[in-house]
Amino acid sequence: MARSKAPPAVNTAGEKREYNEDDVGPAHGDSAENKQPPTKQAKTTESTRTSRSKGKKTTPSLDKSKLDAIMSAYGVPPLQDLGLDEPNESTPETILALVLHAMLTSARISHELAYNSLKCLIEAGYHNLDTLKKSTWQARTEVLTKGGYTRYREKTATALGELADFIENKYDGDLNNLLKRADSSPVQVRKLIGEIKGIGKVGTDIFFDTAQGVWPILAPFIDPRSLDTASNCGLGRDLNSLWEVVGKDPVEMCKLASALTTVRLEKKENEFQ
């Protein structure tokens, strides 16, 4: 007589049970003692299914035509009109110029006067560390006065002298060594830049806005005030969405941050609403 085959396994509901790698828990009707905790892989599978059930798009959409209009009108890389030799390269002079820009424009003074004073500093050659080191406090004060930076000229003249010593002593005369010391970590860059006297949190945000084009590790970044501007212009304030739209290009992100800053400072938001 032929041996009879064993009956197929059934669950407690009497239905035939087959293994499915997507199974993340006991079938409906299983008793409590037969339930097994889901594995890590099963949890991941369930999480994936839940995410997919909510739709593939996880970031809010934005009006790309409006973003293109803002970029076309105001999306200019920083420091382009200051006569720097290589404004789009991370030379020691360019990085120092970006720090000077952050220091001056973060103060409670009109952005026109701050930028005009920055131009005067660049014309005096203070983006070159050797020139800045050789300058006197009186000379720096006169340059700032020429630019209209009269309210904070004495304090800033002192800060500029301290900045020269700081870069020379801590980073061997080149702020690119700060990036190396930070091990290309944006968090550490923020901490180390914050050690510069006179730059503060707002100045650090401005530095990140403008330096991400030459220090790509800082991207994507847009300071909180400019994200508010993006929202007011109908672009939303989701940084990842903006990063996606510019093709995850640090230079384009830098230009967008610059454009939003200009729109905010010059009160141009109504042009894009």
Side-chain angles (χ1 to χ4, degrees), residues 212-254:
Q212 61 187 318
V214 292
W215 281 1
I217 193 64
L218 302 184
F221 186 83
I222 294 179
D223 70 271
R225 294 180 300 174
S226 294
L227 280 178
D228 288 339
T229 299
S231 180
N232 293 338
C233 291
L235 300 179
R237 53 179 296 115
D238 185 83
L239 184 64
N240 289 328
S241 294
L242 295 169
W243 180 230
E244 289 281 349
V245 171
V246 299
K248 296 186 176 181
D249 183 335
V251 173
E252 291 300 302
M253 199 67 176
C254 182

Side-chain angles (χ1 to χ4, degrees), residues 137-254:
W137 181 89
Q138 183 62 37
R140 296 192 295 271
T141 302
E142 291 174 359
V143 171
L144 290 166
T145 301
K146 179 182 177 182
Y149 209 80
T150 55
R151 183 176 180 182
Y152 301 107
R153 61 188 171 189
E154 291 85 3
K155 178 181 178 181
T156 304
T158 299
L160 290 174
E162 293 174 342
L163 174 63
D165 292 337
F166 176 81
I167 297 172
E168 178 69 23
N169 296 331
K170 189 162 186 176
Y171 296 110
D172 297 324
D174 184 357
L175 281 171
N176 284 295
N177 291 323
L178 181 152
L179 185 63
K180 295 176 183 177
R181 183 169 298 185
D183 197 24
S184 296
S185 164
V187 174
Q188 288 301 311
V189 170
R190 174 172 287 276
K191 178 181 177 181
L192 295 176
I193 285 291
E195 293 177 354
I196 296 174
K197 291 184 180 180
I199 197 166
K201 182 180 182 301
V202 173
T204 301
D205 283 344
I206 292 171
F207 179 80
F208 268 59
D209 273 343
T210 56
Q212 61 187 318
V214 292
W215 281 1
I217 193 64
L218 302 184
F221 186 83
I222 294 179
D223 70 271
R225 294 180 300 174
S226 294
L227 280 178
D228 288 339
T229 299
S231 180
N232 293 338
C233 291
L235 300 179
R237 53 179 296 115
D238 185 83
L239 184 64
N240 289 328
S241 294
L242 295 169
W243 180 230
E244 289 281 349
V245 171
V246 299
K248 296 186 176 181
D249 183 335
V251 173
E252 291 300 302
M253 199 67 176
C254 182

